[in-house]
Amino acid sequence: MLTNQIDQRRSPRVEFFLVPEEHEQLPVWVIKPEGLANARGGVVVNLSEDGLQILASAEPPLDARHYELRLLLGEDDGVPLFSADVRRVWSRPLNQLVQLSGFEFESPNSEAEEFLLAQTAQITARKWVRCVLVERTATALS
């Protein structure tokens, strides 16, 4: 089934991070900034013109539809925080610890999308691009 999904993609993807194999475990630490304790930490796996995939902890599962994606690029407040409004399209567990989710950008040319696109032009080796997903409420959507 995964092969079909790859063959039917509308846009080519740029890999940021190697998705673990079935029994492989890779420790990933996402240090969330103060004030984002309730946000979900994750790692950007890949990027295409249509969206991106994010690897996150399997528990609790991501079940909201709309999130604000915030890229975590540094440890201090001096590093800009790039963000984008995204819509979760699908999620599937990779194993008991992690899930992979596909997201679409809700508006073109967001700060986060522009930053990621600039990074893809320079990728010579896979990089860790950490992020947080902040659930957007119905009032924030209107």
Side-chain angles (χ1 to χ4, degrees):
M1 186 170 163
L2 183 58
T3 306
N4 275 348
Q5 287 177 340
I6 292 170
D7 293 342
Q8 293 175 359
R9 287 186 175 150
R10 293 178 287 178
S11 303
R13 293 192 175 272
V14 175
E15 296 287 327
F16 279 91
F17 170 75
L18 194 57
V19 177
E21 295 296 326
E22 188 174 325
H23 298 293
E24 184 180 14
Q25 293 185 12
L26 298 173
V28 178
W29 296 97
V30 178
I31 309 299
K32 296 185 275 188
E34 193 174 326
L36 291 177
N38 293 331
R40 293 294 302 276
V43 175
V44 176
V45 174
N46 60 37
L47 174 74
S48 75
E49 289 180 15
D50 297 316
L52 70 164
Q53 292 180 1
I54 296 175
L55 191 67
S57 173
E59 290 298 325
L62 288 170
D63 55 6
R65 185 108 165 116
H66 300 277
Y67 292 89
E68 180 186 357
L69 165 72
R70 298 182 189 177
L71 302 179
L72 303 175
L73 304 173
E75 304 276 331
D76 60 31
D77 294 333
V79 176
L81 197 63
F82 296 104
S83 63
D85 290 338
V86 294
R87 177 177 42 255
R88 186 178 61 83
V89 180
W90 57 267
S91 292
R92 67 177 171 86
L94 289 182
N95 58 37
Q96 292 180 339
L97 300 176
V98 295
Q99 65 182 323
L100 184 64
S101 298
F103 292 87
E104 292 178 334
F105 292 106
E106 291 197 280
S107 55
N109 306 319
S110 66
E111 293 173 335
E113 182 180 11
E114 293 295 321
F115 174 82
L116 291 170
L117 288 171
Q119 294 302 302
T120 63
Q122 304 169 21
I123 287 183
T124 54
R126 290 189 171 96
K127 298 182 178 188
W128 294 83
V129 179
R130 292 171 172 86
C131 65
V132 291
L133 293 164
V134 180
E135 188 175 335
R136 291 170 37 221
T137 61
T139 55
L141 294 172
S142 31

